[in-house]
Structures are given as C-alpha cells and as structure tokens.
Amino acid sequence: MFFSKKKEIIGLDIGSSSIKLVELKEGKNGYRLQNLAISSLPPEAIVDGALMDSATIIDVIKDLIGQAKTKTKNAVTSVSGHSVIVKKITLPFMTEAELEESIQWESERYIPFDINDVNIDFQILGSDTENPEVMEVILVAAKKDIINDYVSVIMEAGLNPVIIDVDAFALENMLAINYDLEGGETIAIANVGASITSINIVKNNVSAFTRDIFKGGNQLTEEIQRQLHVDFDEAERIKVGSKMDVASQPVIQKVLKEASESLAIEIGNSLDFFQSATTYEKISKLYLSGGGSKIKDFEILQQQHIGIPVEMINPFKQIEFNEKNFDLEYMREIGPAMAVGVGLASRKVGDR
C-alpha cells in the first residue's frame, strides 16, 4: 500500500494483567522504536478478554500516553480468547468482492455464535495446495460487544481506534519484521499471557493454525501461592526465579516444574494436533513470547517436552532504538511481553 503521508499509529496491547504501548517509525532500513511503556492492571480488571473495570483501564491507558509523551492519536489493539474465532476454511474460487457479499452465510457453518452478534473479516490466501479447484481463506469472527468495549475504552482515553486485530496475527507481523524465516519453513509461536496462551503456527509467513489455550502465567502463580502459602507478588518473584532461598529451593523447584509441565504439555498437544491434521512438514522451531513465558527454566522444559528447538522471542531484534532513551537491560527484561504490542505497532492506517 502506498500513502502520500504516513499516519503514525500506537500499538496498544490490552492484556489481562498489563497494558503495553509501542510506537514505531518506519524508515528506509526498517523500523525504529519511538515510544515504549508498560503498566500493570489490577486482578479482575479483564477476565477472558471481557473488560470488567473500564474506568481503571481508561486511566491506565491515559497514564501510558503520559509516560510515553506521545502525540499520536491513532491506535491499533487486538483481541483473543473465547470471543474470537479464527478458522482456515476452503471455498470455491471467487473474487474478493464476491466473497465480501457472501461471507455472512458462508460463515454460519463455521462459527458457533449467532451471526448477527459478530463482526466478520477474512483474508484470501490463494489456491489450496492439495486441491487447486478451491481457495484457502482465513476467517475471523469477533463478538461485537467485546469489540465495542475495546473501541469505547480507547476512545474514552482520547485515542482513535483504527484497527482491531487478533493477537495471533499481531505475533505473525512481529515475527515478519524481526526474523528472516527460510522459504517454506513452518514455525510456531506460543504467546504465554497471564490468563491465555495464544498459539500461532506460521508457514510461508502466513498463519496456518491458531488456537487459544485458557491457561497462562497466573495459573502457575496461583499454584505456587497454594502450595507455598505466599502472596501473589512473592509467588510472581518465585515464578521467574528472582526469589529463592536455599532452604526452600527443592520445594520451589518441584512446584515450578509441576506447574510449568502442565502448560508445556498443553502447548505440545496443540503442535501435535496441527501436525497430525495436516500434511505440512515438521515444525522446525517454537518461539516463546508473552510475560508468562519468563517462568524459570520454562524454555528448557518446553524443549525437552516437544523435542524441537525452543527460543525466547526478541521483538526488538531488527528494530533500531537509541540506547540513551531505552535501557538495553530493561528492553531484554520486558522484551517477551512486548511481542504483541510490536506487531500491532507495525500496522498501518488503512490496513484490513
């Protein structure tokens, strides 16, 4: 797409435990980081993607805008969870205009919600590799009430929501601007949030499979709380390995291993399901992102479980930034949690 003047946008990742703001500037040699901010949300402010405490969320967004000192008003955010359905379907060949007209009734077979209660979008991927007489289409449906809630809080915070994306696609965009994937390579990303883990399997830089697992970092924290009788903040520190006294180390390691294994198995099962249901070649690598992925030794545990290379994502890998303005150690620390935000910030006004 070509624009006479690029309109700047903010990527706003509204997660269940924190909100992340990212602003990028695109230049001749790629992207440059302009602004970055992150702020925690109180528990129960967002539950399964539903905004339960809009007033607090609006205040946090306003606070982030103040921290970042940004003047940009256009914002892109994303949704995930029970209220969003992403399906890859096959349909008879038709033009985009023809599909635009027929998508409502074509969708009814695939979407478990009342068709009048959802916003529907699609992307034509091209002909099916196994049957060239039909085309592959990514179908996305999101509940209107959830979309309206997100649009409302963004507007009340003084911003202009221009795109509502899906977490899995934001991760795909983040990957595309940071990693040079070999042609035909099939990779997976697991974005471990506080309450939801989003899985996206990408082939030829296009989503081939997405799934949300309703388990994340908070469940591990709660398990640590329950077994070690500590408060939430202390359990969080234990989870990432920043608090461990020698006396309780064996107990902590046992609890961490058990809680982490449960999530690792769920992620592994999703990858197995995809590979058993398709003729694609083996997934070559799993990238981990999200604040919940920073569980102590989780990378190693996940690799042992699935038997393929596992790597913690660096969403700033190919993004320039001024080290006077952005502390390198801090960027490494928060990097995995900013992956969705970076993907959102790479969108452009006018994108689908």
Side-chain angles (χ1 to χ4, degrees), residues 78-115:
S78 58
V79 290
S80 64
H82 287 302
S83 59
V84 183
I85 302 289
V86 179
K87 279 193 186 299
K88 191 178 189 180
I89 62 173
T90 53
L91 294 171
F93 262 105
M94 62 184 87
T95 65
E96 191 163 321
E98 287 169 334
L99 184 52
E100 195 84 58
E101 285 184 11
S102 62
I103 192 67
Q104 288 287 117
W105 60 267
E106 291 281 9
S107 304
E108 287 189 338
R109 287 182 289 166
Y110 304 100
I111 292 168
F113 309 132
D114 184 323
I115 212 74

PDB file of all heavy atoms in Angstrom, residues 78-115:
ATOM      1  N   SER A  78      -5.773  -5.380  19.874  1.00  0.00           N
ATOM      2  CA  SER A  78      -6.126  -6.733  19.427  1.00  0.00           C
ATOM      3  C   SER A  78      -6.918  -7.455  20.502  1.00  0.00           C
ATOM      4  O   SER A  78      -6.912  -7.071  21.669  1.00  0.00           O
ATOM      5  CB  SER A  78      -4.864  -7.528  19.081  1.00  0.00           C
ATOM      6  OG  SER A  78      -3.995  -7.597  20.189  1.00  0.00           O
ATOM      7  N   VAL A  79      -7.589  -8.526  20.067  1.00  0.00           N
ATOM      8  CA  VAL A  79      -8.416  -9.323  20.981  1.00  0.00           C
ATOM      9  C   VAL A  79      -8.011 -10.791  20.861  1.00  0.00           C
ATOM     10  O   VAL A  79      -7.390 -11.210  19.884  1.00  0.00           O
ATOM     11  CB  VAL A  79      -9.922  -9.163  20.661  1.00  0.00           C
ATOM     12  CG1 VAL A  79     -10.410  -7.778  21.026  1.00  0.00           C
ATOM     13  CG2 VAL A  79     -10.215  -9.453  19.188  1.00  0.00           C
ATOM     14  N   SER A  80      -8.378 -11.578  21.871  1.00  0.00           N
ATOM     15  CA  SER A  80      -8.166 -13.030  21.837  1.00  0.00           C
ATOM     16  C   SER A  80      -9.148 -13.646  22.837  1.00  0.00           C
ATOM     17  O   SER A  80      -9.879 -12.932  23.517  1.00  0.00           O
ATOM     18  CB  SER A  80      -6.717 -13.380  22.224  1.00  0.00           C
ATOM     19  OG  SER A  80      -6.454 -12.996  23.561  1.00  0.00           O
ATOM     20  N   GLY A  81      -9.141 -14.965  22.915  1.00  0.00           N
ATOM     21  CA  GLY A  81     -10.000 -15.625  23.899  1.00  0.00           C
ATOM     22  C   GLY A  81     -11.278 -16.200  23.316  1.00  0.00           C
ATOM     23  O   GLY A  81     -11.417 -16.353  22.104  1.00  0.00           O
ATOM     24  N   HIS A  82     -12.227 -16.509  24.204  1.00  0.00           N
ATOM     25  CA  HIS A  82     -13.477 -17.191  23.814  1.00  0.00           C
ATOM     26  C   HIS A  82     -14.302 -16.392  22.810  1.00  0.00           C
ATOM     27  O   HIS A  82     -15.097 -16.968  22.081  1.00  0.00           O
ATOM     28  CB  HIS A  82     -14.347 -17.442  25.052  1.00  0.00           C
ATOM     29  CG  HIS A  82     -13.833 -18.524  25.941  1.00  0.00           C
ATOM     30  ND1 HIS A  82     -13.628 -19.816  25.504  1.00  0.00           N
ATOM     31  CD2 HIS A  82     -13.482 -18.515  27.257  1.00  0.00           C
ATOM     32  CE1 HIS A  82     -13.171 -20.554  26.512  1.00  0.00           C
ATOM     33  NE2 HIS A  82     -13.075 -19.795  27.580  1.00  0.00           N
ATOM     34  N   SER A  83     -14.138 -15.071  22.816  1.00  0.00           N
ATOM     35  CA  SER A  83     -14.998 -14.230  21.972  1.00  0.00           C
ATOM     36  C   SER A  83     -14.487 -14.098  20.537  1.00  0.00           C
ATOM     37  O   SER A  83     -15.090 -13.417  19.722  1.00  0.00           O
ATOM     38  CB  SER A  83     -15.113 -12.836  22.599  1.00  0.00           C
ATOM     39  OG  SER A  83     -13.828 -12.267  22.710  1.00  0.00           O
ATOM     40  N   VAL A  84     -13.356 -14.757  20.238  1.00  0.00           N
ATOM     41  CA  VAL A  84     -12.750 -14.649  18.903  1.00  0.00           C
ATOM     42  C   VAL A  84     -12.595 -16.047  18.293  1.00  0.00           C
ATOM     43  O   VAL A  84     -12.122 -16.970  18.957  1.00  0.00           O
ATOM     44  CB  VAL A  84     -11.352 -13.979  18.979  1.00  0.00           C
ATOM     45  CG1 VAL A  84     -10.766 -13.815  17.588  1.00  0.00           C
ATOM     46  CG2 VAL A  84     -11.431 -12.647  19.683  1.00  0.00           C
ATOM     47  N   ILE A  85     -13.002 -16.175  17.049  1.00  0.00           N
ATOM     48  CA  ILE A  85     -12.836 -17.435  16.315  1.00  0.00           C
ATOM     49  C   ILE A  85     -11.968 -17.160  15.089  1.00  0.00           C
ATOM     50  O   ILE A  85     -12.246 -16.225  14.338  1.00  0.00           O
ATOM     51  CB  ILE A  85     -14.198 -17.990  15.832  1.00  0.00           C
ATOM     52  CG1 ILE A  85     -15.158 -18.220  17.009  1.00  0.00           C
ATOM     53  CG2 ILE A  85     -14.020 -19.261  15.001  1.00  0.00           C
ATOM     54  CD1 ILE A  85     -14.806 -19.373  17.899  1.00  0.00           C
ATOM     55  N   VAL A  86     -10.910 -17.949  14.917  1.00  0.00           N
ATOM     56  CA  VAL A  86     -10.076 -17.862  13.710  1.00  0.00           C
ATOM     57  C   VAL A  86     -10.061 -19.249  13.081  1.00  0.00           C
ATOM     58  O   VAL A  86      -9.667 -20.221  13.731  1.00  0.00           O
ATOM     59  CB  VAL A  86      -8.628 -17.418  14.034  1.00  0.00           C
ATOM     60  CG1 VAL A  86      -7.798 -17.353  12.764  1.00  0.00           C
ATOM     61  CG2 VAL A  86      -8.616 -16.070  14.738  1.00  0.00           C
ATOM     62  N   LYS A  87     -10.516 -19.343  11.840  1.00  0.00           N
ATOM     63  CA  LYS A  87     -10.553 -20.644  11.167  1.00  0.00           C
ATOM     64  C   LYS A  87     -10.007 -20.521   9.754  1.00  0.00           C
ATOM     65  O   LYS A  87     -10.274 -19.533   9.072  1.00  0.00           O
ATOM     66  CB  LYS A  87     -11.985 -21.184  11.094  1.00  0.00           C
ATOM     67  CG  LYS A  87     -12.476 -21.853  12.382  1.00  0.00           C
ATOM     68  CD  LYS A  87     -13.749 -22.626  12.128  1.00  0.00           C
ATOM     69  CE  LYS A  87     -14.345 -23.194  13.406  1.00  0.00           C
ATOM     70  NZ  LYS A  87     -13.485 -24.119  14.110  1.00  0.00           N
ATOM     71  N   LYS A  88      -9.270 -21.553   9.347  1.00  0.00           N
ATOM     72  CA  LYS A  88      -8.830 -21.636   7.956  1.00  0.00           C
ATOM     73  C   LYS A  88      -9.837 -22.523   7.239  1.00  0.00           C
ATOM     74  O   LYS A  88     -10.051 -23.672   7.642  1.00  0.00           O
ATOM     75  CB  LYS A  88      -7.423 -22.230   7.893  1.00  0.00           C
ATOM     76  CG  LYS A  88      -6.765 -22.114   6.540  1.00  0.00           C
ATOM     77  CD  LYS A  88      -5.369 -22.700   6.653  1.00  0.00           C
ATOM     78  CE  LYS A  88      -4.552 -22.444   5.421  1.00  0.00           C
ATOM     79  NZ  LYS A  88      -3.216 -23.021   5.555  1.00  0.00           N
ATOM     80  N   ILE A  89     -10.475 -21.988   6.218  1.00  0.00           N
ATOM     81  CA  ILE A  89     -11.509 -22.745   5.509  1.00  0.00           C
ATOM     82  C   ILE A  89     -11.191 -22.798   4.011  1.00  0.00           C
ATOM     83  O   ILE A  89     -10.357 -22.032   3.526  1.00  0.00           O
ATOM     84  CB  ILE A  89     -12.910 -22.127   5.742  1.00  0.00           C
ATOM     85  CG1 ILE A  89     -12.990 -20.693   5.188  1.00  0.00           C
ATOM     86  CG2 ILE A  89     -13.279 -22.149   7.219  1.00  0.00           C
ATOM     87  CD1 ILE A  89     -14.377 -20.078   5.228  1.00  0.00           C
ATOM     88  N   THR A  90     -11.850 -23.702   3.310  1.00  0.00           N
ATOM     89  CA  THR A  90     -11.712 -23.745   1.850  1.00  0.00           C
ATOM     90  C   THR A  90     -13.068 -23.433   1.225  1.00  0.00           C
ATOM     91  O   THR A  90     -14.111 -23.898   1.706  1.00  0.00           O
ATOM     92  CB  THR A  90     -11.224 -25.125   1.362  1.00  0.00           C
ATOM     93  OG1 THR A  90     -12.076 -26.139   1.885  1.00  0.00           O
ATOM     94  CG2 THR A  90      -9.804 -25.381   1.799  1.00  0.00           C
ATOM     95  N   LEU A  91     -13.046 -22.638   0.171  1.00  0.00           N
ATOM     96  CA  LEU A  91     -14.261 -22.225  -0.533  1.00  0.00           C
ATOM     97  C   LEU A  91     -14.025 -22.307  -2.036  1.00  0.00           C
ATOM     98  O   LEU A  91     -12.878 -22.254  -2.491  1.00  0.00           O
ATOM     99  CB  LEU A  91     -14.617 -20.775  -0.160  1.00  0.00           C
ATOM    100  CG  LEU A  91     -15.020 -20.481   1.289  1.00  0.00           C
ATOM    101  CD1 LEU A  91     -15.125 -18.977   1.506  1.00  0.00           C
ATOM    102  CD2 LEU A  91     -16.325 -21.166   1.652  1.00  0.00           C
ATOM    103  N   PRO A  92     -15.113 -22.399  -2.827  1.00  0.00           N
ATOM    104  CA  PRO A  92     -14.941 -22.345  -4.279  1.00  0.00           C
ATOM    105  C   PRO A  92     -14.304 -21.011  -4.680  1.00  0.00           C
ATOM    106  O   PRO A  92     -14.507 -19.997  -4.001  1.00  0.00           O
ATOM    107  CB  PRO A  92     -16.382 -22.428  -4.803  1.00  0.00           C
ATOM    108  CG  PRO A  92     -17.182 -22.980  -3.675  1.00  0.00           C
ATOM    109  CD  PRO A  92     -16.509 -22.553  -2.421  1.00  0.00           C
ATOM    110  N   PHE A  93     -13.537 -21.004  -5.751  1.00  0.00           N
ATOM    111  CA  PHE A  93     -12.875 -19.775  -6.200  1.00  0.00           C
ATOM    112  C   PHE A  93     -13.895 -18.674  -6.464  1.00  0.00           C
ATOM    113  O   PHE A  93     -14.926 -18.901  -7.092  1.00  0.00           O
ATOM    114  CB  PHE A  93     -12.064 -20.018  -7.473  1.00  0.00           C
ATOM    115  CG  PHE A  93     -10.612 -20.246  -7.170  1.00  0.00           C
ATOM    116  CD1 PHE A  93     -10.063 -21.518  -7.232  1.00  0.00           C
ATOM    117  CD2 PHE A  93      -9.795 -19.187  -6.804  1.00  0.00           C
ATOM    118  CE1 PHE A  93      -8.719 -21.727  -6.939  1.00  0.00           C
ATOM    119  CE2 PHE A  93      -8.455 -19.385  -6.510  1.00  0.00           C
ATOM    120  CZ  PHE A  93      -7.929 -20.662  -6.580  1.00  0.00           C
ATOM    121  N   MET A  94     -13.602 -17.491  -5.942  1.00  0.00           N
ATOM    122  CA  MET A  94     -14.427 -16.308  -6.216  1.00  0.00           C
ATOM    123  C   MET A  94     -13.559 -15.084  -5.991  1.00  0.00           C
ATOM    124  O   MET A  94     -12.482 -15.167  -5.388  1.00  0.00           O
ATOM    125  CB  MET A  94     -15.680 -16.284  -5.340  1.00  0.00           C
ATOM    126  CG  MET A  94     -15.439 -16.200  -3.843  1.00  0.00           C
ATOM    127  SD  MET A  94     -16.985 -16.306  -2.897  1.00  0.00           S
ATOM    128  CE  MET A  94     -17.174 -18.078  -2.721  1.00  0.00           C
ATOM    129  N   THR A  95     -14.020 -13.933  -6.454  1.00  0.00           N
ATOM    130  CA  THR A  95     -13.255 -12.703  -6.251  1.00  0.00           C
ATOM    131  C   THR A  95     -13.472 -12.219  -4.822  1.00  0.00           C
ATOM    132  O   THR A  95     -14.393 -12.660  -4.128  1.00  0.00           O
ATOM    133  CB  THR A  95     -13.723 -11.599  -7.220  1.00  0.00           C
ATOM    134  OG1 THR A  95     -15.083 -11.270  -6.882  1.00  0.00           O
ATOM    135  CG2 THR A  95     -13.626 -12.038  -8.663  1.00  0.00           C
ATOM    136  N   GLU A  96     -12.609 -11.283  -4.403  1.00  0.00           N
ATOM    137  CA  GLU A  96     -12.756 -10.711  -3.067  1.00  0.00           C
ATOM    138  C   GLU A  96     -14.113 -10.024  -2.917  1.00  0.00           C
ATOM    139  O   GLU A  96     -14.762 -10.128  -1.870  1.00  0.00           O
ATOM    140  CB  GLU A  96     -11.614  -9.722  -2.796  1.00  0.00           C
ATOM    141  CG  GLU A  96     -11.534  -9.296  -1.350  1.00  0.00           C
ATOM    142  CD  GLU A  96     -10.202  -8.663  -0.977  1.00  0.00           C
ATOM    143  OE1 GLU A  96      -9.140  -9.118  -1.451  1.00  0.00           O
ATOM    144  OE2 GLU A  96     -10.244  -7.703  -0.199  1.00  0.00           O
ATOM    145  N   ALA A  97     -14.551  -9.337  -3.976  1.00  0.00           N
ATOM    146  CA  ALA A  97     -15.846  -8.643  -3.945  1.00  0.00           C
ATOM    147  C   ALA A  97     -16.993  -9.641  -3.793  1.00  0.00           C
ATOM    148  O   ALA A  97     -17.947  -9.403  -3.027  1.00  0.00           O
ATOM    149  CB  ALA A  97     -16.037  -7.820  -5.213  1.00  0.00           C
ATOM    150  N   GLU A  98     -16.901 -10.777  -4.481  1.00  0.00           N
ATOM    151  CA  GLU A  98     -17.941 -11.805  -4.377  1.00  0.00           C
ATOM    152  C   GLU A  98     -17.974 -12.408  -2.977  1.00  0.00           C
ATOM    153  O   GLU A  98     -19.051 -12.639  -2.413  1.00  0.00           O
ATOM    154  CB  GLU A  98     -17.696 -12.913  -5.416  1.00  0.00           C
ATOM    155  CG  GLU A  98     -18.018 -12.496  -6.847  1.00  0.00           C
ATOM    156  CD  GLU A  98     -17.524 -13.503  -7.874  1.00  0.00           C
ATOM    157  OE1 GLU A  98     -16.542 -14.249  -7.596  1.00  0.00           O
ATOM    158  OE2 GLU A  98     -18.110 -13.530  -8.965  1.00  0.00           O
ATOM    159  N   LEU A  99     -16.779 -12.645  -2.410  1.00  0.00           N
ATOM    160  CA  LEU A  99     -16.723 -13.213  -1.061  1.00  0.00           C
ATOM    161  C   LEU A  99     -17.244 -12.216  -0.037  1.00  0.00           C
ATOM    162  O   LEU A  99     -17.916 -12.594   0.930  1.00  0.00           O
ATOM    163  CB  LEU A  99     -15.289 -13.641  -0.733  1.00  0.00           C
ATOM    164  CG  LEU A  99     -15.085 -14.351   0.617  1.00  0.00           C
ATOM    165  CD1 LEU A  99     -16.038 -15.527   0.791  1.00  0.00           C
ATOM    166  CD2 LEU A  99     -13.643 -14.820   0.770  1.00  0.00           C
ATOM    167  N   GLU A 100     -16.952 -10.933  -0.259  1.00  0.00           N
ATOM    168  CA  GLU A 100     -17.454  -9.868   0.625  1.00  0.00           C
ATOM    169  C   GLU A 100     -18.979  -9.956   0.737  1.00  0.00           C
ATOM    170  O   GLU A 100     -19.545  -9.797   1.821  1.00  0.00           O
ATOM    171  CB  GLU A 100     -17.048  -8.502   0.047  1.00  0.00           C
ATOM    172  CG  GLU A 100     -17.182  -7.330   0.998  1.00  0.00           C
ATOM    173  CD  GLU A 100     -15.976  -7.161   1.910  1.00  0.00           C
ATOM    174  OE1 GLU A 100     -14.846  -6.989   1.423  1.00  0.00           O
ATOM    175  OE2 GLU A 100     -16.212  -7.198   3.132  1.00  0.00           O
ATOM    176  N   GLU A 101     -19.632 -10.246  -0.389  1.00  0.00           N
ATOM    177  CA  GLU A 101     -21.089 -10.315  -0.416  1.00  0.00           C
ATOM    178  C   GLU A 101     -21.629 -11.594   0.228  1.00  0.00           C
ATOM    179  O   GLU A 101     -22.698 -11.592   0.828  1.00  0.00           O
ATOM    180  CB  GLU A 101     -21.595 -10.230  -1.866  1.00  0.00           C
ATOM    181  CG  GLU A 101     -21.503  -8.824  -2.446  1.00  0.00           C
ATOM    182  CD  GLU A 101     -22.085  -8.729  -3.854  1.00  0.00           C
ATOM    183  OE1 GLU A 101     -22.731  -9.695  -4.287  1.00  0.00           O
ATOM    184  OE2 GLU A 101     -21.875  -7.687  -4.500  1.00  0.00           O
ATOM    185  N   SER A 102     -20.876 -12.688   0.105  1.00  0.00           N
ATOM    186  CA  SER A 102     -21.405 -13.975   0.569  1.00  0.00           C
ATOM    187  C   SER A 102     -20.828 -14.447   1.906  1.00  0.00           C
ATOM    188  O   SER A 102     -21.230 -15.487   2.428  1.00  0.00           O
ATOM    189  CB  SER A 102     -21.137 -15.052  -0.486  1.00  0.00           C
ATOM    190  OG  SER A 102     -19.741 -15.219  -0.671  1.00  0.00           O
ATOM    191  N   ILE A 103     -19.893 -13.678   2.483  1.00  0.00           N
ATOM    192  CA  ILE A 103     -19.164 -14.157   3.662  1.00  0.00           C
ATOM    193  C   ILE A 103     -20.086 -14.426   4.857  1.00  0.00           C
ATOM    194  O   ILE A 103     -19.853 -15.360   5.632  1.00  0.00           O
ATOM    195  CB  ILE A 103     -18.009 -13.187   4.053  1.00  0.00           C
ATOM    196  CG1 ILE A 103     -17.062 -13.829   5.081  1.00  0.00           C
ATOM    197  CG2 ILE A 103     -18.540 -11.862   4.593  1.00  0.00           C
ATOM    198  CD1 ILE A 103     -16.279 -14.988   4.557  1.00  0.00           C
ATOM    199  N   GLN A 104     -21.170 -13.633   4.996  1.00  0.00           N
ATOM    200  CA  GLN A 104     -22.069 -13.819   6.146  1.00  0.00           C
ATOM    201  C   GLN A 104     -22.629 -15.243   6.159  1.00  0.00           C
ATOM    202  O   GLN A 104     -22.525 -15.943   7.161  1.00  0.00           O
ATOM    203  CB  GLN A 104     -23.224 -12.814   6.085  1.00  0.00           C
ATOM    204  CG  GLN A 104     -22.842 -11.383   6.394  1.00  0.00           C
ATOM    205  CD  GLN A 104     -22.550 -11.150   7.869  1.00  0.00           C
ATOM    206  OE1 GLN A 104     -21.440 -10.797   8.260  1.00  0.00           O
ATOM    207  NE2 GLN A 104     -23.551 -11.339   8.704  1.00  0.00           N
ATOM    208  N   TRP A 105     -23.233 -15.676   5.049  1.00  0.00           N
ATOM    209  CA  TRP A 105     -23.833 -17.015   5.084  1.00  0.00           C
ATOM    210  C   TRP A 105     -22.810 -18.128   4.937  1.00  0.00           C
ATOM    211  O   TRP A 105     -23.003 -19.232   5.444  1.00  0.00           O
ATOM    212  CB  TRP A 105     -24.986 -17.138   4.084  1.00  0.00           C
ATOM    213  CG  TRP A 105     -24.670 -16.918   2.637  1.00  0.00           C
ATOM    214  CD1 TRP A 105     -24.760 -15.758   1.937  1.00  0.00           C
ATOM    215  CD2 TRP A 105     -24.231 -17.902   1.697  1.00  0.00           C
ATOM    216  NE1 TRP A 105     -24.387 -15.936   0.633  1.00  0.00           N
ATOM    217  CE2 TRP A 105     -24.067 -17.260   0.443  1.00  0.00           C
ATOM    218  CE3 TRP A 105     -23.964 -19.267   1.775  1.00  0.00           C
ATOM    219  CZ2 TRP A 105     -23.638 -17.915  -0.696  1.00  0.00           C
ATOM    220  CZ3 TRP A 105     -23.536 -19.933   0.625  1.00  0.00           C
ATOM    221  CH2 TRP A 105     -23.386 -19.252  -0.589  1.00  0.00           C
ATOM    222  N   GLU A 106     -21.663 -17.861   4.283  1.00  0.00           N
ATOM    223  CA  GLU A 106     -20.587 -18.860   4.221  1.00  0.00           C
ATOM    224  C   GLU A 106     -20.055 -19.153   5.634  1.00  0.00           C
ATOM    225  O   GLU A 106     -19.660 -20.278   5.948  1.00  0.00           O
ATOM    226  CB  GLU A 106     -19.422 -18.367   3.342  1.00  0.00           C
ATOM    227  CG  GLU A 106     -19.711 -18.260   1.861  1.00  0.00           C
ATOM    228  CD  GLU A 106     -19.657 -19.591   1.128  1.00  0.00           C
ATOM    229  OE1 GLU A 106     -19.566 -20.640   1.793  1.00  0.00           O
ATOM    230  OE2 GLU A 106     -19.740 -19.573  -0.109  1.00  0.00           O
ATOM    231  N   SER A 107     -20.072 -18.101   6.474  1.00  0.00           N
ATOM    232  CA  SER A 107     -19.504 -18.204   7.824  1.00  0.00           C
ATOM    233  C   SER A 107     -20.357 -19.018   8.783  1.00  0.00           C
ATOM    234  O   SER A 107     -19.837 -19.567   9.770  1.00  0.00           O
ATOM    235  CB  SER A 107     -19.315 -16.809   8.426  1.00  0.00           C
ATOM    236  OG  SER A 107     -18.527 -16.016   7.593  1.00  0.00           O
ATOM    237  N   GLU A 108     -21.632 -19.064   8.543  1.00  0.00           N
ATOM    238  CA  GLU A 108     -22.553 -19.664   9.511  1.00  0.00           C
ATOM    239  C   GLU A 108     -22.209 -21.115   9.838  1.00  0.00           C
ATOM    240  O   GLU A 108     -22.446 -21.581  10.937  1.00  0.00           O
ATOM    241  CB  GLU A 108     -23.998 -19.548   9.019  1.00  0.00           C
ATOM    242  CG  GLU A 108     -24.509 -18.117   9.122  1.00  0.00           C
ATOM    243  CD  GLU A 108     -26.000 -18.012   8.836  1.00  0.00           C
ATOM    244  OE1 GLU A 108     -26.539 -18.912   8.188  1.00  0.00           O
ATOM    245  OE2 GLU A 108     -26.597 -17.012   9.271  1.00  0.00           O
ATOM    246  N   ARG A 109     -21.613 -21.807   8.876  1.00  0.00           N
ATOM    247  CA  ARG A 109     -21.251 -23.223   9.105  1.00  0.00           C
ATOM    248  C   ARG A 109     -20.088 -23.367  10.082  1.00  0.00           C
ATOM    249  O   ARG A 109     -19.906 -24.428  10.683  1.00  0.00           O
ATOM    250  CB  ARG A 109     -20.844 -23.868   7.771  1.00  0.00           C
ATOM    251  CG  ARG A 109     -21.995 -24.144   6.832  1.00  0.00           C
ATOM    252  CD  ARG A 109     -21.487 -24.817   5.565  1.00  0.00           C
ATOM    253  NE  ARG A 109     -20.714 -23.899   4.726  1.00  0.00           N
ATOM    254  CZ  ARG A 109     -19.944 -24.294   3.725  1.00  0.00           C
ATOM    255  NH1 ARG A 109     -19.774 -25.584   3.473  1.00  0.00           N
ATOM    256  NH2 ARG A 109     -19.314 -23.412   2.977  1.00  0.00           N
ATOM    257  N   TYR A 110     -19.283 -22.312  10.210  1.00  0.00           N
ATOM    258  CA  TYR A 110     -18.025 -22.435  10.954  1.00  0.00           C
ATOM    259  C   TYR A 110     -18.022 -21.711  12.298  1.00  0.00           C
ATOM    260  O   TYR A 110     -17.106 -21.901  13.092  1.00  0.00           O
ATOM    261  CB  TYR A 110     -16.870 -21.881  10.102  1.00  0.00           C
ATOM    262  CG  TYR A 110     -16.747 -22.535   8.757  1.00  0.00           C
ATOM    263  CD1 TYR A 110     -17.244 -21.921   7.606  1.00  0.00           C
ATOM    264  CD2 TYR A 110     -16.150 -23.784   8.626  1.00  0.00           C
ATOM    265  CE1 TYR A 110     -17.139 -22.524   6.353  1.00  0.00           C
ATOM    266  CE2 TYR A 110     -16.040 -24.405   7.377  1.00  0.00           C
ATOM    267  CZ  TYR A 110     -16.542 -23.767   6.249  1.00  0.00           C
ATOM    268  OH  TYR A 110     -16.442 -24.379   5.023  1.00  0.00           O
ATOM    269  N   ILE A 111     -19.014 -20.870  12.527  1.00  0.00           N
ATOM    270  CA  ILE A 111     -18.963 -20.001  13.705  1.00  0.00           C
ATOM    271  C   ILE A 111     -20.056 -20.398  14.708  1.00  0.00           C
ATOM    272  O   ILE A 111     -21.232 -20.444  14.361  1.00  0.00           O
ATOM    273  CB  ILE A 111     -19.103 -18.524  13.286  1.00  0.00           C
ATOM    274  CG1 ILE A 111     -17.861 -18.115  12.500  1.00  0.00           C
ATOM    275  CG2 ILE A 111     -19.287 -17.611  14.474  1.00  0.00           C
ATOM    276  CD1 ILE A 111     -17.965 -16.820  11.780  1.00  0.00           C
ATOM    277  N   PRO A 112     -19.655 -20.691  15.959  1.00  0.00           N
ATOM    278  CA  PRO A 112     -20.627 -21.174  16.949  1.00  0.00           C
ATOM    279  C   PRO A 112     -21.452 -20.068  17.616  1.00  0.00           C
ATOM    280  O   PRO A 112     -22.130 -20.323  18.603  1.00  0.00           O
ATOM    281  CB  PRO A 112     -19.734 -21.882  17.979  1.00  0.00           C
ATOM    282  CG  PRO A 112     -18.448 -21.146  17.911  1.00  0.00           C
ATOM    283  CD  PRO A 112     -18.283 -20.689  16.486  1.00  0.00           C
ATOM    284  N   PHE A 113     -21.364 -18.837  17.113  1.00  0.00           N
ATOM    285  CA  PHE A 113     -22.139 -17.718  17.660  1.00  0.00           C
ATOM    286  C   PHE A 113     -23.247 -17.356  16.684  1.00  0.00           C
ATOM    287  O   PHE A 113     -23.184 -17.706  15.502  1.00  0.00           O
ATOM    288  CB  PHE A 113     -21.257 -16.469  17.862  1.00  0.00           C
ATOM    289  CG  PHE A 113     -19.987 -16.701  18.629  1.00  0.00           C
ATOM    290  CD1 PHE A 113     -18.767 -16.211  18.166  1.00  0.00           C
ATOM    291  CD2 PHE A 113     -19.987 -17.401  19.826  1.00  0.00           C
ATOM    292  CE1 PHE A 113     -17.582 -16.409  18.863  1.00  0.00           C
ATOM    293  CE2 PHE A 113     -18.807 -17.608  20.542  1.00  0.00           C
ATOM    294  CZ  PHE A 113     -17.615 -17.111  20.060  1.00  0.00           C
ATOM    295  N   ASP A 114     -24.234 -16.615  17.181  1.00  0.00           N
ATOM    296  CA  ASP A 114     -25.234 -16.038  16.289  1.00  0.00           C
ATOM    297  C   ASP A 114     -24.510 -15.078  15.344  1.00  0.00           C
ATOM    298  O   ASP A 114     -23.774 -14.200  15.786  1.00  0.00           O
ATOM    299  CB  ASP A 114     -26.285 -15.281  17.123  1.00  0.00           C
ATOM    300  CG  ASP A 114     -27.429 -14.732  16.268  1.00  0.00           C
ATOM    301  OD1 ASP A 114     -27.169 -14.297  15.126  1.00  0.00           O
ATOM    302  OD2 ASP A 114     -28.560 -14.713  16.756  1.00  0.00           O
ATOM    303  N   ILE A 115     -24.734 -15.254  14.059  1.00  0.00           N
ATOM    304  CA  ILE A 115     -24.005 -14.478  13.053  1.00  0.00           C
ATOM    305  C   ILE A 115     -24.255 -12.979  13.192  1.00  0.00           C
ATOM    306  O   ILE A 115     -23.425 -12.145  12.809  1.00  0.00           O
ATOM    307  CB  ILE A 115     -24.354 -14.983  11.621  1.00  0.00           C
ATOM    308  CG1 ILE A 115     -23.145 -14.815  10.686  1.00  0.00           C
ATOM    309  CG2 ILE A 115     -25.589 -14.331  11.059  1.00  0.00           C
ATOM    310  CD1 ILE A 115     -22.051 -15.807  10.913  1.00  0.00           C
TER     311      ILE A 115
END
